Amino acid sequence: MAKQGGIYKIQGLRQRWIIYQVLEDMLYSLYAALYLGALVYYLWSTNLVYGLITFPIVFAILLSINRPWQMTDEKIAAFLNKEYPELQESSQLLLLPVDELNPLQVIASSKTASVLTDLKISHKPFAKRLITAFFFLIIATGLIWGLGKIFHIERVFFGPNRPVAVCAPGTMDMAEKVLPQISSVEITVTPPAYTGNAKRVQDKFNLSAEEGGAVSWIIKTNIAVKKITIQFIKNGEIALQSNKKHTEWHASTQINKPGFYQVSIDGKLSDYYYIQMVKDVAPVIHIKSPKQYTYIDAGEAQKVTINATLNDDYGIAASTIIATVAKGRGEGVKFKEYMLSFAEVFDAHKPKYDLQKLINLPTLDMQPGDELYFYVQAQDTHKQLSRTDVYIVSIQDTAELLSMNGVLSGVNVKPEFFRSERQIIIDAGQLLKDKDSISVEKFNARSNDLGIDQKLLRLRYGKFLGEEGEDAIGAPNNDPANPADFSNAAKILKEYTDDHDNAEDAGFFEPNIKAQLKATLTEMWKAELQLRLYKPQAALPFAYKALRLLKDLQQKSRSYVAKTAYNPAPLKPGKRLSGELDKIIQPINKQEIKAPADQLEVLKNAVNVLEGLKSNPALKQADNRTLRIANQELSVRASAQPGVYLSALNAMRRILLVPKANLADVNTVERALQKALRALKAMPSSQGTSADMGLSKQYYKNLQQANR
C-alpha cells in the first residue's frame, strides 16, 4: 500500500512538472507577443492582430522544442534520488513490478515508499523557470509602458521637427475638453500630393498635419448658435460657415506653421488645441565608398566605384553626380565638368535607394597627375535639393615622382636616403624590362638584392621612430665586469636594459608626421615582401606609395618666407619744413550707444501684477492690459515648449476671463514666468571696505589668539 502511494506521488510530481513547463512556455509566448505587438503598434500600424497571431505561433514552437509530455517517471525518480539523500537512491525501485524484485530490493522498496510518502517535496525546483518567465513578463510590460510614453511624448511635443507615423482616426489619446455646445467634430487632413499619403479623418481637435497640407473642420452643435470661429495664436482667425439650421459648421485652411488654436462659440473660448506640423526634410545622402581623398598609385586600375545610399521621408525624384576634372599645374590648370547619372530609375519615388556607379577615369580624358572632384546631388518629390561634400580622386604622376627637379640644385640638397626609394623603383622597372633577356636565377637574384636594399632603407627610416637597427641586436659591448666601471651604474643599466624606445629619442616629430612615417614603413614592408618573392611588378605599387609619402614629408619640412618691401608715400618738396599745422586737427569720434531693449520687461511687469493678485484677486484694467501682452509672449513660448508652458497658458486665459483670479492659477502662471526669466548677470563693482580699514577685524583676530 505504501508502494502504491509512492508511485502516485512520483506520477503527481510528473504532472506538476508538465503543468509548470506548459505555463512557462505560455508566459514566454505572451512575452514575445507583447513585444512584437507593441513595436508594430507604435511604429507601423494600430492593428493588434500581429500580437494575437504571434502568441499561438511562438507557443507551438516552444512546445515542439521542449516537449514536456516526454517527461517520464524514471526521470522524476532520478531527480528525487539526486535532491533527497534520505531516499538512498532507491526511488526507481518503486516503478518496477513486485515479481521482478529480489528480497533485498523488496525491503528497500518498501522503506523508500514509506519515506517518500511522508516526504515534503518543495515546488521551487519545478517552478524555478516559471518564476523566471513571469519576471521577464513583468519587465516586458514595464518596458512597453515606457515605450508608449516615449512615443506619445515624441508625437505630441517633438513632431514638428521630425517625421512621425501618421495617426489613424481616434488614436490621439490626449484628453480633450470641448465646449458643451459641440456634439461632434470631424477633421479631414489632406496631405500634399508629393507626399503620397492618403487623406485621413479624425474626431479630435488636436491634429497632426504635413507641411502645406489642407485641414477642414466640420463641427456639429446640439443647439443653434450664431457664430463659430477658429482663433490661431498670432495667425489670425477663420470664420466657419453654417447650414440653414446653424447646427453644422465647416471651414478649411492650409497648415504652414505649428502652434495652437481655440474654438470660439458665441464668444466662449475652448481650451488650447495643438497643431503639430510634420516638416519635409531634405534628402539624406551617405557615400559608403570611395574615401573623401583617394589616391590611385601606379599599377592600380584607374577606376573608382561610387556606392551611395539616398534616404527621404516621401521619396527620391532624381539624383546625379557632378564631376569636375582638373588638368595641369599652377596658372595653366584647366577644368572640365561632367554630369553623370546612376543606372537606377527614380520613377517609383521610393524613400530609399542603394546606388552604385563605376567611373572609368580614362573615359573622362584623365591622365597621370590629373584630379577628379565630384559630389552627389539628390532631389526629393518636393523639389528640395541636397548634396554631399566634395570627394577627390587623384591619379599619381609617376614622372613627377621620379623627376630630379629640386634635388640636383645646390639649394635643396637632401641626404642620400631621401632618394633611395626612387632608385629602387628605377631598378625594379629596369629589371622588368630585362626579364626576357636574362635567366631566371639572375632575375631572382637581382629581385632579392632589391629586397635587401628596400630592407636597409626601411631600417634607416625606422631609426626616426626609435626602432632598433638589426645591426645593434646582439652586438657585443664593453665588458661591464671591468673593475674600472665598478660604480658606473649607467653602463650596467645600458648593458642589461633595452632603451631603444626612449620617448626622447622618438619624440622629435609631431604625431601626424610620425603616423605618416609609420605608414611609409608599412609600404616598404609590403614592397620588400614582393621583392623577396621575386615579384617586382607587384612591389611597384607599394614602392610608389612609399615614395609619394616621402615626398609629402619633404614638402612638410620646407618653410617659405615671402620677401616684403616698404614703399613710402612720395613727398612734396615745397611743403617740407614749412611748419604749417593748421590742417592737422585732433580726430573726434562720436558714437551714440543706446541700451538694448529689455525683451523680458513684459514678463517682469506681469510677475508684479500676479504678486498683487495674491492679496487682491480683483483685476484692474491696466493690469489686464499688462497680462494680455504677457499672454502673447507666453503663447510664443508655449508653441516651442508646450510641455512647460501650455498649462500656464490655460491658467492665464482663466485669469483674464473671470472677474476674480484663482490663487492656484496665479501660482501656475507665476512659476512659468519665473522659468522664462533669465538670471541677471552680476555686474562688476568695487569691493566695499569698512571705515576702520579692517582694524576691528584684526583686533578680534588677535584677541582670539590671546585667549587660547
Side-chain angles (χ1 to χ4, degrees):
M1 196 69 182
K3 180 177 180 180
Q4 294 295 327
I7 294 175
Y8 291 151
K9 196 159 189 177
I10 291 176
Q11 293 176 349
L13 291 175
R14 174 177 172 271
Q15 294 177 358
R16 183 190 304 171
W17 189 92
I18 293 174
I19 292 173
Y20 284 157
Q21 186 66 37
V22 172
L23 289 177
E24 175 199 350
D25 294 342
M26 188 179 297
L27 289 179
Y28 276 121
S29 303
L30 184 60
Y31 168 78
L34 284 176
Y35 258 124
L36 182 62
L39 291 175
V40 172
Y41 178 83
Y42 291 126
L43 298 178
W44 185 25
S45 173
T46 57
N47 198 342
L48 300 178
V49 69
Y50 299 96
L52 298 177
I53 294 175
T54 305
F55 176 76
I57 294 175
V58 176
F59 186 58
I61 293 173
L62 292 177
L63 287 179
S64 63
I65 294 175
N66 296 325
R67 298 181 180 181
W69 56 84
Q70 293 184 351
M71 175 59 66
T72 60
D73 294 338
E74 288 77 6
K75 293 182 180 180
I76 297 297
F79 167 76
L80 293 175
N81 290 335
K82 180 181 179 181
E83 295 293 331
Y84 299 97
E86 54 266 38
L87 296 176
Q88 299 181 355
E89 298 185 357
S90 302
S91 300
Q92 68 275 6
L93 297 177
L94 302 176
L95 305 177
L96 299 176
V98 179
D99 53 356
E100 295 182 2
L101 301 177
N102 56 36
L104 186 61
Q105 289 178 336
V106 170
I107 296 173
S109 174
S110 60
K111 183 177 179 182
T112 302
S114 60
V115 173
L116 182 61
T117 304
D118 300 333
L119 187 63
K120 293 183 179 180
I121 299 176
S122 175
H123 287 245
K124 291 183 178 180
F126 298 90
K128 183 177 181 181
R129 298 177 62 186
L130 179 63
I131 295 173
T132 304
F134 183 75
F135 179 72
F136 277 111
L137 182 63
I138 295 298
I139 293 177
T141 305
L143 290 177
I144 291 170
W145 179 82
L147 189 65
K149 290 292 184 182
I150 293 173
F151 272 87
H152 174 71
I153 293 173
E154 286 187 354
R155 288 177 177 174
V156 173
F157 298 129
F158 304 109
N161 297 324
R162 53 173 293 184
V164 297
V166 177
C167 298
T171 59
M172 293 193 179
D173 52 357
M174 287 192 67
E176 291 184 353
K177 294 182 180 179
V178 299
L179 294 174
Q181 296 90 336
I182 298 176
S183 60
S184 65
V185 60
E186 181 180 307
I187 300 178
T188 303
V189 180
T190 306
Y194 70 86
T195 62
N197 295 338
K199 182 188 300 185
R200 58 187 183 274
V201 181
Q202 65 182 48
D203 57 354
K204 300 291 184 181
F205 281 101
N206 293 322
L207 60 93
S208 173
E210 290 81 358
E211 183 180 10
V215 178
S216 61
W217 289 265
I218 298 178
I219 299 176
K220 295 181 180 180
T221 59
N222 46 30
I223 59 173
V225 296
K226 297 179 180 179
K227 183 181 180 182
I228 298 181
T229 59
I230 295 178
Q231 298 181 1
F232 299 94
I233 296 179
K234 284 197 172 184
N235 290 328
E237 64 179 25
I238 57 174
L240 278 71
Q241 304 296 325
S242 68
N243 58 0
K244 295 181 179 179
K245 296 182 180 180
H246 294 277
T247 56
E248 184 175 332
W249 301 75
H250 60 86
S252 61
T253 187
Q254 192 176 24
I255 300 300
N256 292 316
K257 292 182 180 180
F260 298 89
Y261 73 96
Q262 293 176 287
V263 178
S264 174
I265 299 181
D266 293 339
K268 294 183 179 180
L269 293 175
S270 66
D271 281 347
Y272 286 98
Y273 306 117
Y274 66 80
I275 299 176
Q276 176 180 311
M277 188 190 69
V278 182
K279 290 185 66 65
D280 181 17
V281 297
V284 179
I285 308 172
H286 174 63
I287 295 183
K288 301 177 182 178
S289 64
K291 297 180 180 179
Q292 193 157 9
Y293 299 96
T294 304
Y295 290 96
I296 298 179
D297 290 317
E300 297 180 354
Q302 296 183 359
K303 298 179 181 179
V304 61
T305 303
I306 301 176
N307 291 306
T309 301
L310 310 182
N311 292 278
D312 189 71
D313 41 7
Y314 298 122
I316 304 294
S319 179
T320 55
I321 302 173
I322 311 299
T324 303
V325 176
K327 303 175 69 68
R329 291 289 183 271
E331 297 180 357
V333 66
K334 297 180 181 179
F335 299 95
K336 188 174 182 180
E337 187 174 290
Y338 298 89
M339 294 188 65
L340 309 177
S341 59
F342 291 100
E344 188 79 21
V345 180
F346 300 94
D347 295 339
H349 300 320
K350 293 189 293 186
K352 182 178 180 181
Y353 285 92
D354 291 322
L355 306 177
Q356 189 176 35
K357 178 69 175 180
L358 176 62
I359 301 177
N360 193 2
L361 300 183
T363 59
L364 302 180
D365 195 20
M366 289 188 64
Q367 298 175 356
D370 296 345
E371 291 182 336
L372 174 68
Y373 307 91
F374 74 89
Y375 62 89
V376 179
Q377 181 175 280
Q379 182 181 6
D380 62 2
T381 53
H382 194 37
K383 297 183 179 181
Q384 295 185 111
L385 287 174
S386 63
R387 50 166 288 184
T388 62
D389 293 335
V390 176
Y391 286 71
I392 302 174
V393 179
S394 177
I395 302 178
Q396 193 62 55
D397 188 2
T398 56
E400 183 180 353
L401 281 177
L402 297 176
S403 67
M404 306 296 287
N405 294 334
V407 179
L408 299 179
S409 63
V411 179
N412 192 18
V413 175
K414 294 292 181 180
E416 182 184 354
F417 51 80
F418 280 101
R419 303 194 299 273
S420 298
E421 189 66 35
R422 181 184 294 105
Q423 188 62 45
I424 291 175
I425 294 173
I426 295 173
D427 293 344
Q430 185 64 38
L431 177 60
L432 291 174
K433 292 180 181 179
D434 299 340
K435 181 178 181 181
D436 298 334
S437 60
I438 60 177
S439 63
V440 177
E441 292 78 7
K442 190 173 182 180
F443 177 83
N444 294 342
R446 288 175 60 180
S447 179
N448 188 59
D449 292 340
L450 288 176
I452 295 174
D453 293 340
Q454 184 69 80
K455 170 190 172 182
L456 295 176
L457 180 64
R458 174 177 53 79
L459 293 177
R460 223 167 196 175
Y461 277 103
K463 294 180 181 179
F464 289 98
L465 294 175
E467 294 184 355
E468 189 177 58
E470 291 188 1
D471 54 350
I473 300 177
N477 203 344
N478 295 331
D479 185 11
N482 190 349
D485 297 328
F486 178 75
S487 60
N488 193 347
K491 186 173 182 179
I492 298 175
L493 289 175
K494 186 175 182 180
E495 177 66 23
Y496 293 102
T497 58
D498 190 9
D499 60 350
H500 71 280
D501 246 342
N502 194 346
E504 293 182 358
D505 298 336
F508 295 118
F509 303 106
E510 297 179 358
N512 56 346
I513 301 294
K514 293 174 66 176
Q516 191 164 347
L517 274 173
K518 290 180 180 179
T520 306
L521 294 181
T522 303
E523 300 302 324
M524 290 182 179
W525 267 110
K526 296 177 182 178
E528 179 187 347
L529 173 63
Q530 300 301 326
L531 290 171
R532 293 299 183 99
L533 295 175
Y534 316 127
K535 298 178 181 179
Q537 181 66 42
L540 279 177
F542 304 113
Y544 274 118
K545 190 170 183 180
L547 181 58
R548 176 171 56 81
L549 293 173
L550 290 177
K551 289 186 72 69
D552 289 344
L553 288 173
Q554 281 187 9
Q555 297 296 331
K556 291 179 181 179
S557 66
R558 295 173 182 173
S559 60
Y560 173 75
V561 179
K563 292 184 177 180
T564 58
Y566 173 66
N567 296 322
L571 299 177
K572 296 181 180 180
K575 292 187 175 182
R576 291 193 65 189
L577 306 176
S578 61
E580 297 179 0
L581 303 177
D582 54 342
K583 293 183 179 180
I584 300 177
I585 59 176
Q586 184 71 21
I588 300 175
N589 185 14
K590 291 185 178 181
Q591 184 178 3
E592 185 177 356
I593 301 175
K594 295 183 179 180
D598 192 357
Q599 298 178 355
L600 303 178
E601 188 66 28
V602 175
L603 301 182
K604 294 177 182 178
N605 296 335
V607 171
N608 295 332
V609 173
L610 293 174
E611 285 292 335
L613 290 178
K614 292 181 180 180
S615 57
N616 184 13
L619 189 62
K620 300 179 182 179
Q621 185 175 1
D623 296 341
N624 187 289
R625 184 165 54 254
T626 301
L627 292 183
R628 287 189 180 277
I629 298 174
N631 185 43
Q632 296 179 359
E633 183 67 25
L634 197 61
S635 63
V636 175
R637 297 178 181 272
S639 300
Q641 296 177 303
V644 179
Y645 297 105
L646 185 57
S647 59
L649 194 63
N650 289 323
M652 177 72 84
R653 183 180 61 84
R654 290 191 293 268
I655 293 174
L656 294 174
L657 293 178
V658 299
K660 290 187 178 182
N662 188 5
L663 183 59
D665 293 338
V666 172
N667 292 330
T668 301
V669 177
E670 188 174 4
R671 284 194 298 269
L673 295 181
Q674 292 293 350
K675 291 180 182 179
L677 292 173
R678 296 189 297 268
L680 295 177
K681 295 182 179 179
M683 299 299 292
S685 60
S686 60
Q687 186 177 2
T689 56
S690 58
D692 58 356
M693 304 298 292
L695 293 178
S696 58
K697 184 177 180 180
Q698 188 68 23
Y699 169 76
Y700 284 111
K701 182 179 179 181
N702 295 334
L703 186 63
Q704 290 176 358
Q705 293 178 355
N707 293 332
R708 288 180 181 178

